[in-house]
Amino acid sequence: MGRAGGISVRRIRLWALLLLVVLPISGCWSRIELNDLGVVLALGLDVGEEEAVRLTVLIPAPSAPGQSGGGGGAGGGGSGAASPVWVAVREAPSVSDAMQMLQQAAPRRLVRHHMRVVLISEEYARTHGVGDILDALANDLQARMTVRPFIVEGRAEDLLENQPPLRPYQPMHLTGILQAAGGVEWRLKDILVGRVSETHSTWMHAVKLVTRPAGAPGGFLLGSVISGAALMRGDSLVRILHPPESQVFEWFFGIPKEMIMSAPCPKGEAGTFSGHVLQAKMVTQPLVEGGQVKFRVTVTVHMNMSRSECNVEVRRRSDRTRLEEAMAAELRGQFEKVIAAMQEAGVDPVGFGKRLQLAYPAYFRGIRDRWSEVWPTAPVEVETKVTIRQAGLMKAPAIRTDRELQEWR
Amino acid sequence: MQVRISGGLYASILFCLASVTQFMTLTSPLIEASGQEAWISALLGGGYGLALTLLVAWICSRFPGRDPLAAATPWLSVPIRLLYAVLQLLFYSLALRDITDFIEVVLLPGTPGILIGGVLCAVSLYAVMNGLEPMARVAFGATCWSVLVLSLLPVGLTREFNILQIDPFLWEGPIRVLRGAVVAMPGAGEALLVLSLLRHLSPKVNPYKWTLIGLGGGVLVVAYALVLITLVFGSVLPGRQIYPGFELLAVVSITEGIERLQAAVITVWIFAAVAKIAGVLYGAVEEGGLALGLRRRQLFAPAVAGLAASRLWKGVLQEVTYMGRTGWVLALITLEVAVVLLLAVAALAARVPRGRGQRG
Amino acid sequence: MSLAEVVQYLRRWQVEEADRLADQVEQNAWPPSTEILLALTAATDAMPISPALNENRAIVRLLVGNSPDLVERGLQLGNGRLPGVLFFLNELANRDQVMTLLESLVVSMRRESLPDPSSGLVAPFLAQAIPSVKVEQASTMRDVLSAMFVGDCVLLVEGMPVGLRFRSDGTPVRPTEEPNGEPVVRGPKDGFTESAAANLALIRRRIRDERLRVEAFTLGTRSRTHVYMLYILDTSLPELVDEVRSRIQRIKIDVVLESGYIEEMIEDQTFTLFPQVKPTERPDVAVSGLLEGKVILITDGTPHALMAPATFAAEMQSPEDYYHRWPVSSFFRLLRYVYLLVAFLGPATYIAITTYHPELIPTTLLLGLVTAREGVPFPAIVEALVMELTLEALREAGLRLPKAVGQTISIVGALVIGEAAVRASLVSPVMVIVVSLTAISSFIIPLYTMSLAIRLLRFAMMILAAILGLFGMVIGVVALLIHLTSLRSFGVPYLSPILPPTANALKDAAIRVPWWAMRTRPLFMPMRNHRRMGGSNEPKTPRSRGEGEVN
């Protein structure tokens, strides 16, 4: 067979074959069978009673073979005989310790690949800060950057134990709400980008459980809703914006589909009118004059009118203009409120600083250390312009107006 | 029998060499060094690589058979070949370590790295034993698929672009871009493999054009990836991640069904990675074989040596590979330039007596 | 009495070898021992026909070993009553043709006067006088024996130093019918049969060109199988033809029962699962191969003709691709390649994804799969192997069952066993789906040997996927690709025209462009003349051709 430097080819072949055979026998390291998987769909962080951290995980429980998986179909909220999820809670000094304790109590290997939401309670965010959990998620191989963190006004554990009506599991419910609304997708990646940035700060969606009291007609109802936007400075929570400010706040990131806006009727009439937004464009412009920075926000909106209590006809130009002005005023008011709230809290999640940096890099380089002091006092002008295109399928309300009655038409 | 490969195959080998590990491991240090303009650094580094390879191509085309070292005296050619083989072996072990670490961390946590390294080593050996042509064809297939996937990537990433992630041009300053270029240089210089490839290139084909296409394409891909990464993640965050290229693929999420596709896309990358390490090993083995007069059976030795060397360094990722440490970067650049300079000297020495002989 | 005649025969020639054999025969018992018989058989090439009829008869009887199907028909020829004998083997010779021969030999020749045996004119006279399709002279015992074993009759006459061989073969032959392995919906339905001569006729009917050359070989020392090599003079490269010829002539084997024997001995590389010559039962496929410069080998005794060289793309083609319209053909060709991948990688992908990469599965599907797999005790690889092996068993069993029950039992078996296994939680329902889909996909591959190769490779990929997940699968595919690209079939790279990509040949690989666009034959095939048709055959309406008015 020939010797090559002391080792014959035959020997080499034998060794190679041996290695090949040993390979499958020695066992495969990173494999896990499907029925040994515990798929973690959501993580919840609260302040613990005894320990620092109270961690909750939500894992769907497989039904017995032969039945369909996920019991969200029949029955209202949470009244099925057997719950299709397993919500487990542990308290520990840190998130990782709590995770370890959970794994020790779980008969399946917990994997976080499919984790969709991370719920952090408000109390936890204000006291503990969200830094370590965000970093842990960024470090984690299994959890990807597309996870959505939320701030919970209340307790994360309660939210996770609630069974949603229209989707099989709570995390799907929450992400479903965001997807159905359209508009802004705000995920871990965006939050981390904000955290390391010097030009803007981070924010998260806020959720909460709403309850209808037991005595009310229809019975007791418990459900989760998106309750606003939580603004953060660094890693700690400073303020939570609620609707309608939070809705307008989100406009800076993307206009939700079919967003509905209401405004009081023009000329002091009683009642309100509403329209839904077809198209909206927002331009944020920084201006530096004499070493001072100011911003102008221009909002252009096209909408269709959907409902009106006001005595106007959309097809008459003068009426329409009045409606448009009323809506523009309302919108401007809301924007000003949001911006004031942000400046008061001293945070800039929307990116005024970034736009300043892009427009005037040299100037921003000068004030980059002081941006957090400059921003709260920078004047921001808001200009809004609303155009009402039409009112859906009707040209005029299906009632005889005063004018028509007068003119005997 | 002289194996002949066409221009396209040659270019795809160069493409794989210049883009595979660079996409995965070089992106983070580059962004850390140069911020948003890391793509300029990549292009500058690529320029260095092009300069080296085009110079080598020019030297080689002066000689029939495109092998200047064959015409040079053994005093010169053997040390040069050995130096070159050692350099290729170094590239081999570094690339092997990079790829193994990546697969171990991302795809198969828990599996021992030496096993993954061993499997890759065995496949590269098998490829080299079958000659240049099959390896070149694998590289060609990998290149086509990579280009296709990369061109589709922005479609999945459109929703990730955000003005908040954009910085003004040259925000960090041009000095940092130049620093980044230095970090990018050794990676582009890995294309020095052309020294072994040119003699197999079909003579009807223009070597400069195909070198430009291959190496240029690879460098462009790295620059393109850097642009996408900074558009999606901003300019600070990727510098903190280990594998921003992987994160880029992982963040694609179009619908409920089309997300978390990173493992599937990585298969294309593994394809190209095998082509790359096979190519590098081929260079080491061919030149080493010509220098030392080794026979085919002794192929095992350099491959196993490379595998062993790749496991030598113990330590945290990024400390291990040359991508992170300045000392390594400068040492590799020096080695690469040294090989080319020595080659030029040998070529001159080989030409002069012939020139004299013709005139006299 | 035979002993004496044999010895007499042997001593007549005064050859040392023959004398020695005669001594041995005399010394030993009668019938002679095996060694003497073998020595005699080995020497038949040199044994001439003796003028003494008795000696010839004795030798022939001895050499054939007094076989019961040997017929010795004694004759009295002509009005001189010249003794002769007609030798033939009972069932090999066609009785009608033998009767015709005998009729002319016995009846018509009764009043003829034959020339004197010593004049040497008997043989030509008889050759002229006896009606037969083909007449040859047999000058050695070897010729006599080979004639008899083919089914011809041999006439030996007292005093004639040669024998006359008359064509009368007529072994029962299967009528031409549609080939089982390559059925088509549209296209000719005749297929090759076991008779090489008939197969040659089927090809000749389609190429009525004298440039179609046929070379005959006889392979196998015992079977003496006829093998015909066909090629077209101005399309096949002479080097290819020479190479094939030399490879065939190199074969030394005792029996050739099927073209598969030849296939393995003329291939470039045997240590591979992939066939490098394409077997076919269809004459139209063989003919189109001839026109592409390939060499065809027809083997007697099997309907499978071989085409060399063969590429991967050629083996994935179905003849119907050329008979249906081009968009349909292109679509089905692409589909075939997709299903090739499914057949090859299907179970492996399932195993890799479910065991190593659960993140690739959408969440709701994953939860459904987890539920479906509840209660299954085995790991996915074991499940897959068990299902695959059961399916293979069902398939093999289906082949051997009688036709009437075979289909039913395999289908029923598959359904019932699958359902019962799922109910008993032995396998998960998804695995059943994956395995069935894979099985169906593997039937889409037109070439049976290729689908066998894919089946085996599938097992290897499953094991790789079970050990190393997607990484293992990629490594397997890369290794396979390296192997395939280094494979050559008579000098043509196996994966042409995809790798190396030849633009003009890609027209016919994954899709099929209309006939008028295929002006040249594939350029990667070595041949002399690549032009298939002249000018532009693209159909045009009369107006664009500039003729005629359209009202």
Side-chain angles (χ1 to χ4, degrees):
Chain A
M1 258 277 134
R3 308 191 62 84
I7 318 170
S8 69
V9 180
R10 193 148 168 266
R11 274 267 204 93
I12 295 176
R13 288 213 190 116
L14 275 172
W15 275 107
L17 201 67
L18 200 67
L19 216 70
L20 216 63
V21 166
V22 159
L23 210 69
I25 297 174
S26 51
C28 317
W29 296 263
S30 1
R31 55 186 298 265
I32 175 165
E33 289 298 325
L34 272 184
N35 41 350
D36 295 331
L37 275 182
V39 180
V40 174
L41 287 185
L43 216 64
L45 279 173
D46 291 303
V47 174
E49 283 145 31
E50 293 153 37
E51 303 273 4
V53 172
R54 190 179 167 89
L55 187 70
T56 317
V57 289
L58 182 138
I59 299 166
S63 344
Q67 297 173 11
S68 59
S79 55
S83 167
V85 296
W86 180 45
V87 179
V89 187
R90 286 291 182 278
E91 292 201 7
S94 80
V95 177
S96 305
D97 294 329
M99 203 69 207
Q100 167 69 4
M101 290 178 68
L102 279 167
Q103 179 61 74
Q104 284 180 333
R108 293 168 177 244
R109 179 114 59 92
L110 300 179
V111 288
R112 299 176 295 285
H113 295 116
H114 290 265
M115 193 161 68
R116 285 165 180 256
V117 300
V118 173
L119 301 170
I120 306 170
S121 75
E122 189 183 344
E123 202 188 338
Y124 186 93
R126 279 193 207 273
T127 54
H128 194 106
V130 297
D132 68 336
I133 179 68
L134 289 178
D135 277 330
L137 288 171
N139 256 334
D140 190 12
L141 166 70
Q142 293 184 352
R144 302 274 80 240
M145 292 245 174
T146 48
V147 161
R148 280 173 230 267
F150 289 93
I151 298 281
V152 179
E153 293 187 81
R155 278 163 47 103
E157 185 185 342
D158 297 332
L159 193 65
L160 284 177
E161 280 179 352
N162 169 255
Q163 276 281 66
L166 283 178
R167 290 272 184 165
Y169 306 106
Q170 183 68 252
M172 273 62 157
H173 175 81
L174 291 172
T175 55
I177 294 179
L178 287 176
Q179 275 169 351
V184 51
E185 286 276 354
W186 202 247
R187 291 170 297 184
L188 180 64
K189 180 211 85 167
D190 307 297
I191 293 174
L192 288 176
V193 168
R195 259 178 93 216
V196 296
S197 159
E198 58 181 346
T199 56
H200 60 281
S201 61
T202 63
W203 67 278
M204 294 188 209
H205 284 288
V207 293
K208 104 174 151 189
L209 269 184
V210 288
T211 57
R212 190 169 65 200
F220 183 66
L221 175 67
L222 198 68
S224 57
V225 295
I226 306 282
S227 66
L231 308 178
M232 335 213 44
R233 187 193 299 130
D235 283 338
S236 43
L237 177 66
V238 291
R239 179 153 180 174
I240 298 185
L241 292 174
H242 292 108
E245 285 97 48
S246 63
Q247 287 170 340
V248 162
F249 167 79
E250 288 180 19
W251 280 41
F252 281 100
F253 300 99
I255 313 294
K257 301 192 213 12
E258 310 239 333
M259 161 118 189
I260 296 179
M261 298 225 54
S262 297
C265 284
K267 289 217 157 135
E269 272 182 65
T272 58
F273 72 101
S274 318
H276 63 263
V277 174
L278 295 169
Q279 252 182 10
K281 201 170 86 152
M282 288 194 39
V283 177
T284 311
Q285 239 180 320
L287 289 162
V288 173
E289 280 165 11
Q292 286 291 88
V293 62
K294 71 175 191 196
F295 294 94
R296 179 182 304 144
V297 178
T298 321
V299 187
T300 327
V301 176
H302 293 254
M303 56 197 306
N304 273 358
M305 208 170 76
S306 58
R307 170 199 78 93
S308 151
E309 285 172 337
C310 322
N311 201 359
V312 289
E313 277 179 55
V314 171
R315 53 184 172 163
R316 299 179 73 152
R317 177 173 277 253
S318 50
D319 282 350
R320 201 164 67 229
T321 318
R322 266 187 277 146
L323 286 175
E324 289 171 356
E325 282 165 7
M327 182 62 83
E330 173 73 17
L331 199 59
R332 188 182 325 123
Q334 295 202 10
F335 266 102
E336 282 167 353
K337 261 195 258 174
V338 168
I339 293 172
M342 290 195 294
Q343 284 180 318
E344 203 185 305
V347 291
D348 168 31
V350 169
F352 285 98
K354 170 60 73 176
R355 284 169 172 87
L356 178 63
Q357 182 201 37
L358 284 173
Y360 296 93
Y363 177 78
F364 189 80
R365 214 187 286 274
I367 62 159
R368 71 204 276 190
D369 307 323
R370 295 182 295 121
W371 175 241
S372 48
E373 294 142 23
V374 173
W375 161 242
T377 54
V380 181
E381 244 174 66
V382 180
E383 275 174 27
T384 51
K385 179 165 153 41
V386 174
T387 314
I388 296 184
R389 285 218 198 129
Q390 59 194 39
L393 287 177
M394 302 281 284
K395 287 193 284 195
I399 186 174
R400 299 190 78 81
T401 62
D402 291 343
R403 188 179 295 120
E404 284 172 348
L405 284 170
Q406 280 170 11
E407 291 167 1
W408 290 104
R409 219 174 293 159
Chain B
M1 188 183 68
Q2 185 73 298
V3 173
R4 290 271 173 221
I5 57 174
S6 70
L9 293 177
Y10 168 82
S12 29
I13 300 181
L14 289 182
F15 179 90
C16 288
L17 283 176
S19 62
V20 167
T21 43
Q22 286 82 347
F23 174 83
M24 235 14 122
T25 37
L26 187 60
T27 39
S28 179
L30 269 183
I31 295 184
E32 210 176 333
S34 340
Q36 189 176 262
E37 279 63 49
W39 62 276
I40 301 185
S41 314
L43 287 176
L44 289 174
Y48 154 85
L50 267 175
L52 279 186
T53 47
L54 287 175
L55 183 60
V56 169
W58 185 79
I59 295 175
C60 288
S61 52
R62 307 257 146 240
F63 289 83
R66 293 211 185 119
D67 191 3
L69 292 174
T73 66
W75 279 110
L76 271 177
S77 72
V78 168
I80 298 180
R81 282 204 212 273
L82 277 178
L83 179 64
Y84 174 79
V86 164
L87 182 65
Q88 291 292 343
L89 216 60
L90 190 61
F91 285 147
Y92 177 73
S93 63
L94 289 169
L96 199 61
R97 179 62 191 256
D98 275 338
I99 299 170
T100 313
D101 279 343
F102 175 78
I103 294 179
E104 193 183 342
V105 167
V106 166
L107 281 184
L108 297 171
T111 311
I114 180 106
L115 180 69
I116 302 177
V119 168
L120 283 168
C121 180
V123 173
S124 62
L125 253 181
Y126 180 58
V128 170
M129 266 167 48
N130 270 316
L132 181 59
E133 205 186 322
M135 186 173 76
R137 296 207 193 288
V138 172
F140 182 77
T143 308
C144 292
W145 278 105
S146 308
V147 167
L148 184 68
V149 168
L150 284 170
S151 46
L152 287 176
L153 196 56
V155 171
L157 289 174
T158 40
R159 58 150 66 160
E160 306 292 334
F161 298 150
N162 196 336
I163 193 166
L164 294 175
Q165 285 142 201
I166 303 180
D167 282 348
F169 189 63
L170 283 182
W171 174 248
E172 303 284 355
I175 305 292
R176 292 190 58 176
V177 173
L178 290 174
R179 222 191 297 159
V182 173
V183 174
M185 277 153 79
E190 285 190 27
L192 216 47
L193 188 66
V194 295
L195 184 55
S196 309
L197 291 177
L198 275 166
R199 69 187 70 123
H200 296 287
L201 188 58
S202 160
K204 290 176 270 180
V205 154
N206 184 353
Y208 306 112
K209 169 174 141 192
W210 289 105
T211 311
L212 191 63
I213 293 179
L215 182 56
V219 167
L220 274 176
V221 157
V222 177
Y224 167 80
L226 283 166
V227 167
L228 282 180
I229 291 174
T230 47
L231 278 179
V232 168
F233 290 108
S235 56
V236 185
L237 187 60
R240 316 268 171 108
Q241 298 167 326
I242 297 187
Y243 297 123
F246 175 72
E247 302 277 352
L248 186 72
L249 298 171
V251 91
V252 170
S253 158
I254 307 181
T255 68
E256 169 122 4
I258 307 180
E259 50 175 352
R260 289 185 306 268
L261 285 180
Q262 63 270 16
V265 176
I266 286 298
T267 54
V268 180
W269 185 84
I270 299 178
F271 227 99
V274 171
K276 169 172 178 161
I277 54 174
V280 175
L281 183 64
Y282 177 82
V285 159
E286 170 132 335
E287 297 304 322
L290 282 171
L292 300 174
L294 295 173
R295 281 163 303 158
R296 213 162 172 254
R297 275 185 239 112
Q298 281 125 349
L299 277 182
F300 290 95
V304 173
L307 175 64
S310 79
R311 308 310 305 173
L312 268 183
W313 298 291
K314 298 189 194 308
V316 166
L317 291 167
Q318 293 256 295
E319 276 184 17
V320 166
T321 71
Y322 62 91
M323 310 279 195
R325 294 157 111 184
T326 330
W328 264 115
V329 167
L330 292 175
L332 280 168
I333 297 179
T334 319
L335 273 176
E336 291 166 3
V337 173
V339 167
V340 176
L341 285 177
L342 287 174
L343 180 73
V345 165
L348 264 175
R351 288 282 288 188
V352 165
R354 244 192 319 127
R356 251 190 248 132
Q358 281 174 351
R359 261 177 295 167
Chain C
M1 186 165 101
S2 311
L3 173 70
E5 279 148 356
V6 168
V7 169
Q8 196 181 343
Y9 172 85
L10 287 169
R11 291 219 192 276
R12 178 190 282 269
W13 315 108
Q14 288 164 345
V15 170
E16 196 191 313
E17 178 85 30
D19 286 334
R20 209 174 334 120
L21 279 172
D23 295 333
Q24 281 182 318
V25 170
E26 275 179 333
Q27 282 154 15
N28 295 327
W30 184 263
S33 67
T34 315
E35 291 88 29
I36 302 176
L37 283 173
L38 287 174
L40 280 172
T41 312
T44 46
D45 273 324
M47 289 184 181
I49 311 284
S50 156
L53 189 60
N54 288 342
E55 288 171 19
N56 292 330
R57 290 174 78 154
I59 280 289
V60 171
R61 253 187 258 132
L62 186 65
L63 286 172
V64 174
N66 285 322
S67 171
D69 58 345
L70 176 69
V71 177
E72 280 182 63
R73 177 59 163 92
L75 303 163
Q76 307 263 329
L77 292 169
N79 59 2
R81 305 288 183 97
L82 202 57
V85 70
L86 193 68
F87 277 115
F88 60 93
L89 285 175
N90 200 2
E91 279 306 319
L92 276 182
N94 185 325
R95 201 155 294 178
D96 293 328
Q97 298 191 35
V98 174
M99 280 308 295
T100 316
L101 283 171
L102 282 175
E103 193 175 352
S104 65
L105 277 171
V106 172
V107 174
S108 318
M109 292 273 287
R110 200 175 287 165
R111 292 197 218 303
E112 296 287 327
S113 60
L114 281 83
D116 191 29
S118 51
S119 65
L121 291 171
V122 180
F125 177 81
L126 284 173
Q128 287 294 315
I130 309 297
S132 172
V133 173
K134 189 168 157 193
V135 176
E136 282 173 355
Q137 288 192 353
S139 42
T140 66
M141 279 298 160
R142 170 50 53 199
D143 295 336
V144 171
L145 288 175
S146 8
M148 275 169 35
F149 281 112
V150 170
D152 294 340
C153 301
V154 181
L155 177 68
L156 295 172
V157 177
E158 176 82 38
M160 204 164 74
V162 292
L164 280 175
R165 168 180 171 172
F166 297 105
R167 177 68 80 84
S168 65
D169 59 344
T171 34
V173 145
R174 184 164 60 92
T176 313
E177 53 190 20
E178 180 168 23
N180 278 337
E182 299 170 59
V184 293
V185 171
R186 174 170 177 170
K189 301 233 200 287
D190 56 350
F192 287 138
T193 57
E194 283 76 10
S195 159
N199 296 344
L200 184 57
L202 284 171
I203 292 187
R204 282 255 188 235
R205 198 164 66 167
R206 289 172 161 85
I207 302 187
R208 300 189 169 115
D209 189 349
E210 70 276 7
R211 288 170 288 187
L212 172 65
R213 296 289 202 238
V214 182
E215 291 181 20
F217 302 93
T218 310
L219 289 179
T221 47
R222 283 182 208 279
S223 64
R224 294 185 210 285
T225 315
H226 289 286
V227 173
Y228 296 130
M229 180 172 85
L230 286 80
Y231 58 95
I232 297 190
L233 203 56
D234 64 343
T235 54
S236 310
L237 267 187
E239 290 88 3
L240 175 67
V241 176
D242 292 337
E243 179 66 30
V244 177
R245 191 186 301 125
S246 72
R247 289 194 196 184
I248 294 181
Q249 285 169 333
R250 222 174 34 207
I251 299 177
K252 302 229 182 312
I253 194 177
D254 58 349
V255 74
V256 172
L257 290 175
E258 220 275 342
S259 54
Y261 291 48
I262 303 180
E263 181 181 336
E264 268 187 21
M265 286 189 275
I266 61 172
E267 275 184 333
D268 284 70
Q269 176 143 329
T270 351
F271 284 105
T272 170
L273 286 171
F274 293 91
Q276 292 133 66
V277 285
K278 176 175 173 175
T280 177
E281 279 185 276
R282 300 185 60 90
D284 49 333
V285 172
V287 164
S288 61
L290 275 172
L291 288 167
E292 282 180 1
K294 299 194 188 167
V295 172
I296 307 289
L297 292 169
I298 301 179
T299 311
D300 193 45
T302 174
H304 293 272
L306 295 174
M307 288 168 41
T311 58
F312 192 82
E315 287 165 0
M316 289 288 294
Q317 281 176 359
S318 152
E320 267 186 301
D321 289 347
Y322 296 95
Y323 305 142
H324 290 302
R325 300 187 60 77
W326 67 273
V328 175
S329 309
S330 307
F331 174 70
F332 280 113
R333 254 200 197 160
L334 283 172
L335 208 65
R336 215 176 287 143
Y337 280 107
V338 168
Y339 279 113
L340 175 71
L341 280 178
V342 170
F344 174 49
L345 291 174
T349 314
Y350 174 75
I351 293 174
I353 292 183
T354 54
T355 20
Y356 287 89
H357 307 281
E359 72 264 17
L360 281 178
I361 311 176
T363 315
T364 32
L365 181 62
L366 178 67
L367 296 174
L369 286 176
V370 171
T371 311
R373 248 192 140 254
E374 202 50 35
V376 175
F378 305 115
I381 173 73
V382 173
E383 247 188 287
L385 280 175
V386 164
M387 283 298 307
E388 284 284 341
L389 291 172
T390 313
L391 211 68
E392 295 288 326
L394 279 169
R395 212 183 294 182
E396 286 294 312
L399 279 176
R400 295 186 213 303
L401 284 168
K403 277 239 163 61
V405 285
Q407 295 275 40
T408 327
I409 290 204
S410 14
I411 294 176
V412 168
L415 284 173
V416 169
I417 291 180
E419 179 68 20
V422 169
R423 282 281 174 82
S425 289
L426 280 175
V427 295
S428 64
V430 188
M431 181 54 81
V432 175
I433 297 174
V434 168
V435 166
S436 339
L437 196 67
T438 314
I440 296 174
S441 310
S442 66
F443 285 125
I444 293 184
I445 301 170
L447 189 64
Y448 189 59
T449 33
M450 182 68 84
S451 74
L452 291 174
I454 299 292
R455 268 201 252 163
L456 284 177
L457 284 174
R458 191 192 311 155
F459 284 108
M461 290 303 289
M462 282 202 284
I463 295 178
L464 267 176
I467 301 177
L468 288 171
L470 273 181
F471 172 65
M473 275 176 64
V474 173
I475 295 293
V477 170
V478 168
L480 184 68
L481 209 62
I482 295 175
H483 174 72
L484 282 176
T485 44
S486 61
L487 206 57
R488 277 171 185 268
S489 169
F490 291 90
V492 178
Y494 197 64
L495 285 182
S496 341
I498 304 172
L499 300 167
T502 339
N504 99 312
L506 275 174
K507 295 193 284 207
D508 200 14
I511 57 168
R512 178 178 80 77
V513 296
W515 272 108
W516 47 262
M518 293 202 273
R519 286 219 213 103
T520 57
R521 304 199 189 95
L523 281 174
F524 64 85
M525 288 293 299
M527 64 176 85
R528 285 170 157 231
N529 181 8
H530 284 270
R531 262 186 51 143
R532 185 184 263 130
M533 56 182 92
S536 168
N537 282 331
E538 181 175 353
K540 289 194 176 58
T541 57
R543 177 168 279 172
S544 48
R545 271 207 302 260
E547 330 167 342
E549 287 279 322
V550 178
N551 294 328

